[in-house]
Amino acid sequence: MGNIYLIRHGQASFGADDYDVLSPIGIRQAEVLGGHLANLGVRIDRSISGDLRRQQHTANATLQQLLGDDQNAPVIEIDPAFNEFDADAVIRALLPDMLPEEPEALNILRNAAQHRAEFQRLFAKLIGRWLTGEYDTPGLQSWQGFVEQVQGGLERLLQQADNKQNIAVFTSGGTITALLHLITGIAPARAFELNWQIVNTSLSCLKFRGTQVSLASFNSHVHLQLLKAPELITYR
């Protein structure tokens, strides 16, 4: 059987003007992951990333530590199907209807870095509405549309894959959540409860043969735990 390693990007710049940039901790997380995979003797035959900068930067930093200057290292393939859903668009589209019951929401969301717990509560509430499909608005990608995007990426990957390959996919938490939903049949709301626990640069492993895919492991971050450095275990 082949292996697909789903790797969540390193810590991004939460609360900054540009979220789509790895923080210094995020870069370190990716380097630690690459070194850990090298120590385990993991062979990567193909590497795929979404086209977001935080995903590609994680891929480059991880593979540099894993493969060094190996001239035969696989080129990182880019497939935007493995991008994260547009969280900002979800917030902009669904927040107005929620303001009557959450009058402080706008201030909290604008100052997320200073209100992390409240931001998470409000964001989870907005995502819950998005998942139902009852609040879909023109121009906003629906949850079902996002799932179909991710499914298309997985199907393309499998069509091109050899059953003995180890494939690394550098992606994001929402994308991993959609894959959990597709592969295990877990309900979207339950899948997102797991989403909030996905650690930056964690590994989830899928086993595949042909078009048959199963979940082998989820959210492993032992590479960070072994360092006994709690600051490296982050969720955004």
Side-chain angles (χ1 to χ4, degrees), residues 12-144:
S13 299
F14 181 70
D17 290 338
D18 187 354
Y19 175 74
D20 194 21
V21 177
L22 289 189
S23 71
I25 286 178
I27 296 170
R28 177 63 179 146
Q29 290 166 330
E31 292 172 343
V32 169
L33 174 60
H36 179 70
L37 293 175
N39 288 336
L40 292 176
V42 172
R43 182 192 80 253
I44 297 297
D45 301 300
R46 290 179 63 197
S47 298
I48 299 168
S49 171
D51 66 11
L52 301 178
R53 284 178 293 162
R54 60 188 182 273
Q55 297 170 339
Q56 294 184 61
H57 194 175
T58 301
N60 285 316
T62 299
L63 295 176
Q64 177 61 41
Q65 292 298 312
L66 173 60
L67 303 170
D69 297 322
D70 184 354
Q71 297 301 309
N72 296 316
V75 174
I76 300 172
E77 306 167 40
I78 304 299
D79 188 340
F82 295 105
N83 285 0
E84 180 64 284
F85 66 90
D86 190 340
D88 287 342
V90 171
I91 291 171
R92 287 194 302 271
L94 304 189
L95 180 60
D97 285 343
M98 201 173 76
L99 284 177
E101 60 191 80
E102 296 283 358
E104 296 299 317
L106 194 57
N107 177 60
I108 291 168
L109 294 171
R110 284 175 172 171
N111 299 280
Q114 289 76 45
H115 304 279
R116 289 176 179 265
E118 276 297 280
F119 172 86
Q120 177 58 34
R121 183 185 68 81
L122 291 171
F123 185 55
K125 191 171 183 177
L126 287 164
I127 291 299
R129 292 186 171 209
W130 182 56
L131 294 177
T132 68
E134 296 175 12
Y135 300 87
D136 288 352
T137 59
L140 175 68
Q141 184 183 42
S142 67
W143 160 251
Q144 186 56 43

